[in-house]
Amino acid sequence: MRPAFLYVGSRRKGPSSWSPPPAGEFGIGIHRFDCETGAVTAVGRVAPELSVGYLLHDARRGVLYALHEAMTLPDRKRGGGGMIAAFRIDPETGALTEISRSPSFGTLPCHATLDAEGRHLLVVHHTGHTPVTRTRNTAQGYEIVLEYDEAATVMFPLDDAGRIQPPCHVRPHDGRGALPDQTHSQLHCIRQLPGTELFAICDKGGDQVALLRQAGETLRPVRDIPAPPGSSPRSCLTHPRLPVLYANFETAPLLHAYRWSADGKMQRIAAIAPWAPSAGPQSALMPSDMAISADGSRLYLLLRGPEALTTCLLHPDGRPEPIDTRPLHVDNPRAIALSPDGAHLLVAAVVSQEVAVWPLNKDGLPIGEGRRQPCAHAGCMTFA
């Protein structure tokens, strides 16, 4: 049996600076994972110049893609956006060898996915909050216009080895929400709906979940699913067996579930508070990442603010029911993952700079206080 390797991306917390991150503190940490005990052992680090906001494993090719969540390219003083780097994985040692690097064609690339055939990589961009001030001459006279970075979904072809090719399509998004910070689209997550050519994209700035359809090497808009005003849709994921999409919201205490059809219609089947009734209402709540068990029976949701984890029972029709909320005793839990055998739950905390690991009991609930592994600026992770 091949060893399991855990890759942890280290990223800058908070509003990204125009300047590059200090060398040596960021990049991708390579860890050996013991599936029996849950022990995490650091074995190396690569690409320390990258502020890694997301990691995506291409299991077909044995390639790891890393998003450099930045606003400035290395050859620019300011601006130009982030990057994508591709690494070949050594299945025996976990070592990473870089095979490709490309601009992401946008600022703050923060999430990515592959299409169903693995021929394209799709990347979404959060963008920054700093506008450019322009003037416009209208019939009523000159007016001030604020323009923000383009929030786009960018599609990149991949060659047979997984190397990134020049983009074949750029789809800008144009949304605006009810909150002062929702001045423009701010994309945060992209998922393909299994069995379809549809992609769901959480738009924090536009208070909507956008649906795009892939048609060869282009992306066509299907519809936008409106979210509650000022809710900031953050993350979404799909049920492993049912046509159900789950979405959480950064600035609203909500978890939604939608049943989809191949023509892009969405029916909301649940809208609930993301904590167990026994925990009582949670204040200053900012949901972050989610994970779902391979059998589709449990959904796990990270809650920043209370720094807690909610476990939901998923009913046969996919509706979520929170059954447990407990403190994690970490600072800023940003990413969650389940071990390859589903026996352990892992949380990456960017401020307390650690990866915490819990075994799961027969009911899918964490056991004990968790095992802690120091990890610099841990903001995202994936297994391979």
Side-chain angles (χ1 to χ4, degrees), residues 289-329:
D289 201 12
M290 297 187 290
I292 192 168
S293 61
D295 65 359
S297 67
R298 297 290 185 272
L299 182 146
Y300 301 95
L301 171 62
L302 294 179
L303 305 176
R304 292 178 295 174
E307 316 294 57
L309 171 77
T310 289
T311 302
C312 293
L313 166 70
L314 296 181
H315 290 279
D317 63 355
R319 288 181 301 106
E321 177 188 349
I323 57 174
D324 183 76
T325 298
R326 64 183 63 197
L328 294 171
H329 306 294

Side-chain angles (χ1 to χ4, degrees), residues 91-105:
E92 300 300 329
T93 67
L96 298 176
T97 302
E98 187 170 335
I99 60 172
S100 177
R101 189 175 289 205
S102 168
S104 70
F105 289 81

Side-chain angles (χ1 to χ4, degrees), residues 179-322:
L179 300 179
D181 279 342
Q182 293 179 305
T183 51
H184 63 294
S185 284
Q186 298 153 29
L187 314 181
H188 201 273
C189 185
I190 179 170
R191 304 283 185 187
Q192 184 164 22
L193 305 187
T196 76
E197 296 175 332
L198 298 171
F199 292 85
I201 299 157
C202 289
D203 182 352
K204 281 174 50 182
D207 272 340
Q208 60 194 5
V209 177
L211 284 186
L212 300 180
R213 186 183 300 277
Q214 182 182 9
E217 294 202 326
T218 62
L219 295 168
R220 297 174 180 170
V222 177
R223 60 174 47 88
D224 296 327
I225 298 97
S231 62
S232 311
R234 177 184 173 87
S235 298
C236 61
L237 79 171
T238 60
H239 193 283
R241 293 182 291 102
L242 302 173
V244 174
L245 177 77
Y246 303 93
N248 66 16
F249 302 84
E250 185 166 294
T251 53
L254 291 170
L255 174 63
H256 282 187
Y258 304 87
R259 181 175 293 273
W260 80 74
S261 57
D263 60 0
K265 293 181 180 177
M266 285 276 191
Q267 177 190 5
R268 196 176 71 191
I269 60 173
I272 61 172
W275 58 73
S278 60
Q282 305 291 303
S283 61
L285 189 70
M286 291 182 66
S288 57
D289 201 12
M290 297 187 290
I292 192 168
S293 61
D295 65 359
S297 67
R298 297 290 185 272
L299 182 146
Y300 301 95
L301 171 62
L302 294 179
L303 305 176
R304 292 178 295 174
E307 316 294 57
L309 171 77
T310 289
T311 302
C312 293
L313 166 70
L314 296 181
H315 290 279
D317 63 355
R319 288 181 301 106
E321 177 188 349

